[in-house]
Amino acid sequence: MGLSIIILAAGQGTRMRSSLPKVLHKLADRPMLEHVIDCAESVGAHQIRVVYGHGGEQVINTSSHREVEWFEQKEQLGTGHAVAQALDGISDEDTLLILYGDVPLIGHATLTRLYSLCNDKTMGLLTARLDDATGYGRIVRNEQGQVTAIIEHKDASDEQRQISEVNTGFMAAPAKHMKRWVSALSSNNSQGEYYLTDVIAMAVADGIEVSTEHPNYPEEIFGVNDRRQLAHLERYYQKQQALELMMAGVALRDPARIDVRGIVSAGQDVEIDINVILEGNVVIGNNVRIGANCVIRNSVIEDDVIILENCVIEDAKVGHSSKVGPFARLRPEANLADHVHVGNFVEIKKSDVGSGSKVNHLSYIGDTTIGQRVNIGAGTITCNYDGANKHRTIIGDDVFIGSDTQLVAPVTVGDKATVGAGATITGDVPEGTLSISRVSQKNIIGWKRPVKKK
């Protein structure tokens, strides 16, 4: 028996007040639907089907890289109708698990317990007890405590609305039973819709026991209908990410002021200050210090690195014992070797910086290879773009580049060469030479500054 999953993702989400389909609104910088697909894959489903509706082309394009099958719900006629769109082709021998594209924090462990309840005589239903059950379907049980039905809030009596146990919408059942029950659903209710919840009463009538499981924490089953609810789940998710980092040994100055929007691996004795954002795949070594207000995206930070305040590091590598910032920007393919210093207001893009080299002040380094023990003076610019094509600058070992230098690529500066301050280098500088290109200074005695005419 295999596991098939149907994810319902057809809702418009009018309360989001957005042209973006609801399931594409982001949690931790990823669409909610992507979180649900991740969880579906984690429980070992061999078949994942997504039912889409509003904004269908956008939804498919956004998740086109995922191994899922797509089924359109052309009319919004309820959850039962949505499930019916994706039932054909699912094996009768499978267990069928129903998930929701706007409930992004459902957990692997909870789903595993839920579908493990299923056999020919039993289906699984995920329920929860809430202090405020407004809007949720209520779980109706008999005197023996067995589930007999789910009553939607709008159809419930005043007495039934006092029930605190609610339906989360998540259920698992033998596919052969689910197909039969869904085909028999009726729209005879206050909404005129086909409720998936009505299959519970059908299961009871067929002698199928409805066994219940509960989520590990309430936020697992919270859906998103407006931006307030999305913000609540974002903060909860970030709290969990911060706890995981601290359990792994990371020191956070304030766990409430860090955002993790991807996968982070961190070594021992890592310290992270406030308002740091970690995105994509970030690898942090041992004894790393990250200052406040930094953004690190898809990058590797090796051991003993210090990243000072207000740095942006993207698709880059920082070698061990290096120091970056404050106010530095490492753009994609910036590769710093060990013991490199990159200082304030320095931008490096698509460049290799060799061991022991320094670019400390107000410089732009692009499409450049810098050797070992090189000093780049303040205000140095590699002029790598001629208006049509990019060109590379090569700087050898033990080179000194004076302040306010322009290196007009393609150009090579040989080992142990020195370039005087204020130079514009348009040709190669041989090894061990001094290159100066500035105009000689002239002092004009008695010169008077012009004044405005009255």
Side-chain angles (χ1 to χ4, degrees), residues 77-198:
L77 300 177
T79 51
H81 178 258
V83 169
Q85 310 310 304
L87 283 176
D88 285 348
I90 293 178
S91 170
D92 287 349
E93 303 304 313
D94 277 4
T95 294
L96 179 60
L97 180 60
I98 307 298
L99 308 183
Y100 298 85
D102 60 354
V103 187
L105 296 187
I106 189 64
H108 166 92
T110 296
L111 290 185
T112 300
R113 294 197 307 273
L114 178 62
Y115 81 77
S116 296
L117 296 173
C118 288
N119 56 53
D120 281 344
K121 297 295 184 180
T122 306
M123 70 168 293
L125 180 67
L126 192 66
T127 71
R129 293 191 181 276
L130 302 178
D131 293 335
D132 181 5
T134 303
Y136 285 88
R138 305 308 201 275
I139 303 299
V140 179
R141 294 180 182 269
N142 60 21
E143 294 179 355
Q144 290 74 40
Q146 298 168 323
V147 176
T148 58
I150 298 174
I151 302 298
E152 295 295 335
H153 180 87
K154 294 177 181 179
D155 299 318
S157 65
D158 290 341
E159 181 180 358
Q160 289 169 331
R161 289 183 180 182
Q162 300 307 308
I163 298 172
S164 63
E165 186 181 15
V166 302
N167 172 44
T168 68
F170 295 91
M171 61 178 68
K176 61 183 178 182
H177 297 327
M178 186 65 79
K179 290 178 181 180
R180 184 173 72 255
W181 298 332
V182 168
S183 67
L185 289 173
S186 166
S187 59
N188 185 24
N189 50 61
S190 62
Q191 293 294 103
E193 295 183 350
Y194 296 90
Y195 293 152
L196 183 62
T197 50
D198 288 346

